[in-house]
Structure formats: C-alpha cells, structure tokens
Amino acid sequence: SIMTANTQIRYSSPILEEAANSITPQERAIFDLNFAISERLHRILRERNMSKRELAQLTGKKESEVSRWFMLGHNFTCKSIAIIQQALGVPIVEVVH
C-alpha cells in the first residue's frame, strides 16, 4: 500500500501490488493516482447505491465510457474529473492552493 494525497491505497491482490512495484516511480505515481480516483468513485457509488448507468446519465457520457473509468490503468483527464465532480456534487480530486 502507498500514500497518495493523504489517502492510503491498499491493493486488493498481490498481482496489483506486483504490477505497481514493477514500473518506474513516475509511472507508479500515475498508476496510484488513477487507482485512487477510481476507488473514490466506487465508494461514492456504493454509498449512494448508484449504478454506473446512473453515473453515465448524470455526466452525459456513454455507459461504455463510464465503465472504462473503473478499469485498471484508466488515465483520467482533468476534463473527465471536472465532469464527474460537477455531476456528483462532491470532490474527487482536491488541489492544494
């Protein structure tokens, strides 16, 4: 497990941990941040008993695109994060000013 922006990331399988440990520190930072974003989305959907289909409707995105947000290795853009945050009304990523 690692720390990313005050969040402890715990990988659910040795395979994920091994994959994360076999890449460069820069690739690891990208992997960890994207993993943390995806995990945050999972938590929000669980807490709200919301489906990916409902998230797609809220964001105006196709269900297939929303499904990709939850795939290992997905690279979130600032644009997609802003759309998600606006649709859900909660922060997904916070910037330190």
Side-chain angles (χ1 to χ4, degrees), residues 55-70:
L55 181 58
Q57 291 168 345
L58 279 177
T59 58
K61 299 293 181 182
K62 292 181 179 177
E63 212 173 322
S64 60
E65 183 175 351
V66 170
S67 288
R68 283 194 299 274
W69 292 343
F70 294 90

Side-chain angles (χ1 to χ4, degrees), residues 54-90:
E54 291 169 308
L55 181 58
Q57 291 168 345
L58 279 177
T59 58
K61 299 293 181 182
K62 292 181 179 177
E63 212 173 322
S64 60
E65 183 175 351
V66 170
S67 288
R68 283 194 299 274
W69 292 343
F70 294 90
M71 295 174 78
L72 184 62
H74 179 74
N75 191 17
F76 287 91
T77 64
C78 288
K79 180 180 178 180
S80 62
I81 293 168
I83 289 168
I84 294 164
Q85 290 182 145
Q86 189 278 325
L88 295 174
V90 294

Side-chain angles (χ1 to χ4, degrees), residues 6-85:
N6 300 325
T7 303
Q8 180 93 20
I9 296 177
R10 296 187 192 284
Y11 295 103
S12 57
S13 81
I15 294 170
L16 283 179
E17 189 69 40
E18 184 179 334
N21 288 328
S22 68
I23 56 180
T24 68
Q26 184 178 37
E27 291 169 327
R28 174 72 187 249
I30 294 165
F31 178 89
D32 289 342
L33 183 56
N34 283 306
F35 186 82
I37 293 167
S38 181
E39 284 295 302
R40 172 97 169 108
L41 287 176
H42 273 288
R43 268 194 314 276
I44 292 168
L45 294 187
R46 269 195 314 271
E47 289 168 1
R48 295 181 178 189
N49 198 27
M50 181 185 289
S51 69
K52 292 176 187 172
R53 174 175 284 164
E54 291 169 308
L55 181 58
Q57 291 168 345
L58 279 177
T59 58
K61 299 293 181 182
K62 292 181 179 177
E63 212 173 322
S64 60
E65 183 175 351
V66 170
S67 288
R68 283 194 299 274
W69 292 343
F70 294 90
M71 295 174 78
L72 184 62
H74 179 74
N75 191 17
F76 287 91
T77 64
C78 288
K79 180 180 178 180
S80 62
I81 293 168
I83 289 168
I84 294 164
Q85 290 182 145

